[in-house]
Amino acid sequence: MLMNLLCDDLYYLVRLYRTQFSASGTRPQRAFVEHHRIVDAIEAGDAELAELLMRRHVSASRANVADRYAAILEQQSTTSAD
């Protein structure tokens, strides 16, 4: 039961960050291309390539969220210092 609650909370946070940090810039277009390549690998029956592409996609998404979050924190610290 506790694990389900934690997973539900984590899923909510992931969706929240994804919505906030992935809707601008070039990330949506790059994510679309990444998804298309993953699907192509699956359709071709290349599980190893699909896994590699998915891992890269998740890593790029995580880096995007971390970078955007850091930029927001930096902006807030600059604003509060003024």
Side-chain angles (χ1 to χ4, degrees), residues 20-53:
Q20 280 186 321
F21 300 136
S22 298
S24 62
T26 61
R27 185 67 197 141
Q29 294 86 3
R30 286 185 290 138
F32 179 80
V33 170
E34 292 167 5
H35 286 158
H36 190 63
R37 290 181 179 157
I38 293 164
V39 170
D40 286 347
I42 292 169
E43 285 179 341
D46 192 338
E48 191 173 325
L49 179 59
E51 178 184 2
L52 173 69
L53 294 172

Side-chain angles (χ1 to χ4, degrees), residues 7-73:
C7 288
D8 288 343
D9 289 345
L10 181 60
Y11 180 75
Y12 171 77
L13 285 174
V14 167
R15 286 186 53 104
L16 177 70
Y17 288 132
R18 191 173 115 209
T19 301
Q20 280 186 321
F21 300 136
S22 298
S24 62
T26 61
R27 185 67 197 141
Q29 294 86 3
R30 286 185 290 138
F32 179 80
V33 170
E34 292 167 5
H35 286 158
H36 190 63
R37 290 181 179 157
I38 293 164
V39 170
D40 286 347
I42 292 169
E43 285 179 341
D46 192 338
E48 191 173 325
L49 179 59
E51 178 184 2
L52 173 69
L53 294 172
M54 189 66 208
R55 289 182 183 277
R56 286 182 182 170
H57 171 69
V58 170
S59 180
S61 297
R62 185 207 54 79
N64 180 64
V65 169
D67 292 346
R68 300 286 305 269
Y69 188 68
I72 288 170
L73 290 177

